[in-house]
Amino acid sequence: MEKFTVHGPCKLEGEVVISGAKNAAVAILPATLLVKGKCHLENVPNISDIRAYCKILESLGSKIEYLSPNEMIIDNTNIKTGIASSELTSKFRASYYLLGALLGNFSQVQISLPGGCNLGARPIDQHIKVLEKLGATVEVKRGNVYASRKEKLKGSHIFLDVVSVGATMNAILAATLAEGITVIENVAKEPHIVDLANFLNSMGAKIQGAGTDTIRIIGVSTLSQKSSYSIIPDQIEAGTFMVAAAATKGNVLIKNCIPKHLEHITSKLKEAGAIIDEYETSIRVKMNERPKAFSVKTMPYPGFPTDMQPQMSILLCICDGTGIIVENIWESRFQYTDELAKMGADISAHGTTAIFKGVDKLYSAPVRAHDLRAGAAMIIAGLVAEGDTDVYDIHHILRGYENITEKFKNLGANIVYSNDNAEAEFDA
Ligand code: UD1
């Protein structure tokens, strides 16, 4: 069985370089399908979700040339089908972007119902609403989503019922090559949405307002790339190292990040007592004291990101006082608190609220990574705890963090990857 063994406690010190944003890359890869030609991408994170997405594109007919682990040229000249239904597409959530992207050039599209982290119900009604408003017919049956159009998609006025990252991305993808003007209101404003719009605009798309509540798209007939595109740094990876630095009373310079994207995390860390210095493309987090208690409510951007709440919870596990997390995006995001309880944390989680009574110390225990971000939280807990913490189900963590053991080791952590089933151990 694969696991990470984290030897704690440790104080993280040094510098870490943040990789490209997973949630931008998983939208930009399918967006290349809108281009009948080559796309050159840089700063692509080398993580298992991206490797899986590349395999899906190759199964459709894309040719991918890897210039380095983080740079690639994708040639979609010979894509012949919009049928992307497979075991691979059913495995992760962001495969639903294939719907919007493939409908740009194909009249019949099929994907398997998307999987992803188990965070509770993950409906796709808003994705379907968007595609139908643009003129597609969408049907969900026997584990597949079928979308078709008789003619080109047509611009429309769409109001999203809930602020959804995925539905906003799909609306941008589908409307880029549609005829006429599309206006989408009540959209998500996350940095990865702006990055997708910037990527498409750099190739001739006309997308205005990304990063605000309303996006306006004037449909264009073709896109073509003039120069390579570099994906933005990963906001959540940067936030994870910021919290890890604070939780271990460390001093870490987080390089290649966009401090503006991290304001909600910075503000909470300051409440906890961290000292933060912001520079143009880096941020330093120092912590000298036991964290003070604070409360967090997850919200769509620019609110506190749900994908940072498990990591942030480690500060509350060891804080001086009682802290609260209210989860407003996903209904089942506190499953990881049972794992932290095994390590001595005092947490009572009911529905969408978890109350943390800070304890002096966490102790090592075998724990599971319930999902990607919960897995990152288990590593941080292991860094804080006394003893050797074994973290299992680490495939979740490897979906979204590039060279995670290497990055933590460079900061002074002692983390070992092992696999009972493998002949030799290696560094994941
Ligand atoms: C994306 C992120 C995920 C993050 C989430 C919220 C990617 C690949 N994943 O997921 O890591 O946790 O944003 O920041 O970028 N909803 C509906 N109907 C829909 C779609 C969503 O009701 O059709 C609801 C969801 O149940 C949820 C909320 O809207 O309560 C937000 O979901 P959404 O923003 O769509 O999340 P994802 O795009 O799936």
Side-chain angles (χ1 to χ4, degrees), residues 33-255:
L33 291 165
L34 294 169
V35 185
K36 288 211 161 139
K38 292 184 178 181
C39 284
H40 183 169
L41 298 177
E42 296 175 60
N43 206 32
V44 184
N46 184 12
I47 50 177
S48 68
D49 265 12
I50 295 303
R51 291 191 290 274
Y53 226 126
C54 287
K55 279 195 189 140
I56 293 174
L57 292 182
E58 284 170 334
S59 73
L60 292 169
S62 307
K63 295 267 174 287
I64 304 182
E65 183 190 350
Y66 295 88
L67 306 180
S68 80
N70 303 108
E71 187 175 358
M72 57 181 72
I73 294 176
I74 304 176
D75 184 353
N76 288 331
T77 313
N78 293 319
I79 301 272
K80 298 264 179 322
T81 175
I83 312 295
S85 178
S86 70
E87 208 191 319
L88 265 179
T89 57
S90 66
K91 272 195 181 146
F92 68 108
R93 188 78 188 154
S95 56
Y96 51 35
Y97 295 146
L98 290 165
L99 284 173
L102 284 167
L103 268 180
N105 283 318
F106 290 93
S107 55
Q108 302 275 348
V109 173
Q110 183 186 327
I111 66 160
S112 303
L113 266 181
C117 282
N118 177 16
L119 309 172
R122 297 191 78 164
I124 59 165
D125 56 302
Q126 296 306 300
H127 300 246
I128 294 172
K129 172 177 175 172
V130 160
L131 299 176
E132 287 181 340
K133 281 287 231 172
L134 293 170
T137 304
V138 186
E139 212 185 340
V140 182
K141 58 179 183 196
R142 291 190 292 275
N144 288 310
V145 186
Y146 300 83
S148 60
R149 57 173 170 84
K150 289 203 171 68
E151 49 196 22
K152 277 198 92 171
L153 294 177
K154 286 210 167 50
S156 181
H157 196 123
I158 306 164
F159 194 99
L160 294 183
D161 302 332
V162 288
V163 177
S164 158
V165 170
T168 304
M169 295 281 207
N170 246 333
I172 293 174
L173 290 165
T176 291
L177 296 183
E179 268 172 12
I181 296 176
T182 300
V183 177
I184 319 144
E185 297 197 62
N186 197 29
V187 295
K189 296 179 273 202
E190 269 70 0
H192 26 289
I193 286 167
V194 179
D195 207 36
L196 173 68
N198 286 343
F199 169 63
L200 292 167
N201 283 342
S202 74
M203 301 190 299
K206 293 195 172 142
I207 304 162
Q208 301 155 347
T212 73
D213 292 317
T214 305
I215 292 179
R216 185 170 180 269
I217 302 173
I218 303 168
V220 296
S221 52
T222 53
L223 300 175
S224 71
Q225 201 187 38
K226 309 268 181 304
S227 57
S228 67
Y229 188 83
S230 182
I231 291 171
I232 52 163
D234 197 299
Q235 172 204 28
I236 304 300
E237 189 198 5
T240 301
F241 280 100
M242 289 169 74
V243 172
T248 61
K249 291 198 188 146
N251 180 348
V252 176
L253 182 66
I254 291 122
K255 294 170 88 171

Side-chain angles (χ1 to χ4, degrees), residues 270-289:
K270 282 183 178 166
E271 270 185 54
I275 301 156
I276 307 222
D277 298 319
E278 290 181 27
Y279 309 98
E280 208 174 316
T281 58
S282 59
I283 202 159
R284 180 177 291 283
V285 178
K286 273 183 278 187
M287 185 79 158
N288 301 321
E289 55 189 70

